[in-house]
Amino acid sequence: MVVAEVPKLASAAEYFFKMGVEGKRFRPTVILLMATALNVQISKPASEGVVDMFPTELRMRQQSIAEITEMIHVASLLHDDVLDDADTRRGIGSLNFVMGNKISVLAGDFLLSRACITLASLKNTEVVSLIATAVEHLVTGETMQMSTSAEQRSSMDYYLQKTYYKTASLISNSCKSIALLTGQTAEVAMLAYEYGKNLGLAFQLIDDVLDFTGTSTSLGKGSLSDIRHGIVTAPMLYAMEEFPELRSVIDKGLDNPVNVDLALEYLGKSHGIQRTRELAAKHASLASAAIESLPENDDEDVQRSRRALIELTHRVINRTK
């Protein structure tokens, strides 16, 4: 799907899909597990010789959502790296560092356009609308991060809204799309959405913790990268609640290493890291509850996928990279 006619664009678009640097493929994994977790039991064909086309076709459509989601995610990474002037991503040179900003932006646009073509081929207007909304949210979240007032920068509500737009919207709307393609009720589609939303929020909250506690090698990015970019995340917001004087340190500007060191000192004295982990655990538990609320189904594959989705919520909050 990411093959292009122009060789330079082709190699740029394929950059993060090549073996060894393809990342966790976390989103497609969740989406395909959700697809099986929601599949209605389809009666087996009368004779072994008869090919049952419906499940195969449905699975292909669900797989398309997984592919679309990963392409949108990678496109957003390419664009983010240009905006952040990043020189590494996933432990290797970022595309903008290797091939320049212009080709990076164009490769991101190309991936988005390919995702749109595949999305249109599903011929489901509600699904198109959900995924288009998720793309809009990615842009909104990035803009919110770039243009915060001092008031917004110290607001937990603003931070969580931005986090939903930047991280959780894509996965929640993709999970909901899977439910709609499977012909599920609005209630079940909402449970799929809630799972994706809460898993996405938990994932990002742990990312924010790891930015302070993880090492560069295991994270594949420089530790403290958020605060050095002047981005205030949940651990620091909680620390500000405990130590209001921290706010004036942050307002003075995090482009000064002295202020960064002082902010880290306050964070170390606070319960910021612990409270962020607790908030992540709460969202992980809400995600698990959504899966447990799905209509009963005795099919082995369905049961196994539901267990895996619940297991993922534990993995997300216990990960170290």
Side-chain angles (χ1 to χ4, degrees):
M1 288 163 84
V2 298
V3 172
E5 288 167 32
V6 181
K8 192 166 188 183
L9 182 58
S11 56
E14 291 166 13
Y15 190 69
F16 282 127
F17 296 105
K18 286 179 181 163
M19 285 305 291
V21 295
E22 70 271 19
K24 295 174 288 295
R25 292 193 179 164
F26 173 70
R27 289 158 188 79
T29 303
V30 171
I31 289 159
L32 292 174
L33 283 171
M34 183 63 76
T36 309
L38 296 182
N39 274 354
V40 283
Q41 258 180 304
I42 297 151
S43 55
K44 299 280 185 286
S47 78
E48 287 307 310
V50 179
V51 179
D52 194 356
M53 283 305 292
F54 175 65
T56 314
E57 189 194 335
L58 174 63
R59 188 63 176 185
M60 291 301 290
R61 286 162 69 78
Q62 291 169 333
Q63 189 174 312
S64 289
I65 295 286
E67 290 163 351
I68 289 162
T69 303
E70 189 66 358
M71 282 197 288
I72 292 170
H73 172 59
V74 171
S76 77
L77 299 184
L78 296 180
H79 287 164
D80 280 1
D81 284 348
V82 171
L83 292 170
D84 299 340
D85 209 13
D87 50 17
T88 60
R89 163 73 67 179
R90 295 173 173 172
I92 60 157
S94 60
L95 185 62
N96 51 303
F97 181 73
V98 175
M99 296 179 84
N101 282 347
K102 289 179 183 176
I103 199 76
S104 250
V105 171
L106 292 170
D109 291 348
F110 175 73
L111 289 177
L112 284 174
S113 61
R114 277 289 153 99
C116 289
I117 292 166
T118 312
L119 189 55
S121 72
L122 294 172
K123 295 183 170 60
N124 183 313
T125 50
E126 201 170 351
V127 168
V128 170
S129 178
L130 285 174
I131 303 294
T133 300
V135 174
E136 182 194 330
H137 285 169
L138 283 168
V139 177
T140 306
E142 193 60 40
T143 310
M144 283 173 78
Q145 184 164 291
M146 284 164 56
S147 52
T148 50
S149 66
E151 199 60 46
Q152 289 165 337
R153 211 158 48 145
S154 55
S155 159
M156 183 61 89
D157 286 343
Y158 187 87
Y159 160 83
L160 287 172
Q161 185 68 56
K162 179 200 77 179
T163 300
Y164 168 71
Y165 284 152
K166 277 197 67 166
T167 308
S169 175
L170 180 59
I171 196 161
S172 57
N173 282 300
S174 300
C175 285
K176 188 176 181 182
S177 297
I178 285 290
L180 295 174
L181 281 182
T182 317
Q184 294 285 357
T185 62
E187 287 77 13
V188 170
M190 206 58 211
L191 288 171
Y193 170 87
E194 284 297 323
Y195 174 83
K197 176 182 134 184
N198 286 295
L199 187 75
L201 290 173
F203 187 93
Q204 188 56 48
L205 286 161
I206 294 300
D207 243 22
D208 294 342
V209 166
L210 292 175
D211 198 45
F212 291 109
T213 61
T215 62
S216 280
T217 35
S218 74
L219 279 176
K221 64 173 185 175
S223 217
L224 306 178
S225 65
D226 284 336
I227 195 163
R228 284 184 180 142
H229 281 100
I231 300 164
V232 179
T233 57
M236 209 51 89
L237 289 168
Y238 279 132
M240 282 160 77
E241 274 183 32
E242 282 180 67
F243 300 102
E245 60 270 32
L246 171 56
R247 182 170 171 172
S248 64
V249 175
I250 286 169
D251 286 347
K252 280 177 195 162
L254 295 167
D255 43 0
N256 183 339
V258 176
N259 292 341
V260 171
D261 290 343
L262 198 50
L264 291 174
E265 204 179 303
Y266 276 111
L267 178 65
K269 288 190 288 188
S270 76
H271 296 90
I273 299 282
Q274 183 192 332
R275 288 178 72 188
T276 304
R277 284 193 182 279
E278 284 165 7
L279 184 60
K282 181 184 147 195
H283 282 292
S285 153
L286 287 169
S288 291
I291 298 302
E292 283 160 1
S293 303
L294 290 171
E296 281 186 32
N297 190 314
D298 296 331
D299 183 81
E300 255 181 66
D301 285 341
V302 170
Q303 290 283 340
R304 193 182 299 119
S305 292
R306 290 182 183 184
R307 283 196 300 274
L309 286 169
I310 290 170
E311 166 65 18
L312 260 182
T313 66
H314 301 303
R315 285 200 188 190
V316 158
I317 55 171
N318 293 319
R319 68 200 171 96
T320 56
K321 60 178 182 177

